[in-house]
Amino acid sequence: MCERGTVEGGTMLRGVVKKVVSVEQAEGHGARVRRSIGRKELRRLDPFLMLDEFCVRRPAGFPDHPHRGFETVTYMLKGSFRHQDFCGHSGVIHKGDLQWMTAGRGVVHSEMPASQGDNVGLQLWVNLPAAQKMTQPAYQELSASEIPSATKDGTTVKVIAGESHGVTSPVRTFTPVYYLDLQQETGAATTQPLPHHWNAFIYVLAGHISVVNEEEAVESEAHHTLVLGEGEAVTVKNIGPDRAHFVLIAGEPIKEPVVQYGPFVMNTKAEIDQATHDYHKSCNGFENAATWRSSPLS
Ligand code: MN
């Protein structure tokens, strides 16, 4: 029995089970974000902890702060961001570039805008399974030209993670994830297969789309999150007069308890207490926390 969605050519298409608007809120130091996953109406969507669409102008930003127990994925849409961490890793990511950071046992870093004007991007937090929460920190950085893409029937997809249209991302993820950036010409439609038991959502960046199956068509404009129901694929159409731009994100649920305290995401309260202790005492992965400070922007 199909609880939701319908069979189309043998494929059960996902519908929309929840639609939430992301209003701007304050975050970091003088920054503004539109929060998708992670807001009170949409606390989590296992394995995803948070998705923010940020728009930051200097001198605002996200100065020195820690992470433990998950991955932060930064994808730039406009402008550029400079990151520095407490082990000497630093760099600047520009429009279309990706930084997939596995915080694991501990990272302290700063994330600050590096261009004049608006610096816009997405930051996704992907949870780590208990077995990998204390893994060594690691970075995967792809420039815009290194992110594979495909175009078919008016839809262009950049494959940040996972696979689409026969194209596979080189990004390795602990938790199986699809992260697709899709742009559609007016009138274009595309159907993307998704593993049946994965959680999935769409966040709309621009334009006017419709998620359709035989039962319903749910329309959405920018800055909305559409949580998808069960099914094997999703069909999206651009029903507006302008180019549509959205991300489709899906992942295999980890199905473990989540205890979060700000930038620490663990399985138990005791592990959160340990993380707080380790950060303040500069040990167990946070060795450089006591002495490191990011250098100011030039
Ligand atoms: Mn961070």
Side-chain angles (χ1 to χ4, degrees), residues 62-67 70 72 74 99 101 103 107-111 123 125 263:
F62 308 98
D64 308 7
H65 61 277
H67 294 286
F70 60 102
T72 70
T74 308
Q99 183 197 65
M101 182 186 86
V107 163
V108 182
H109 70 170
S110 68
E111 300 159 280
Q123 186 164 93
W125 288 12

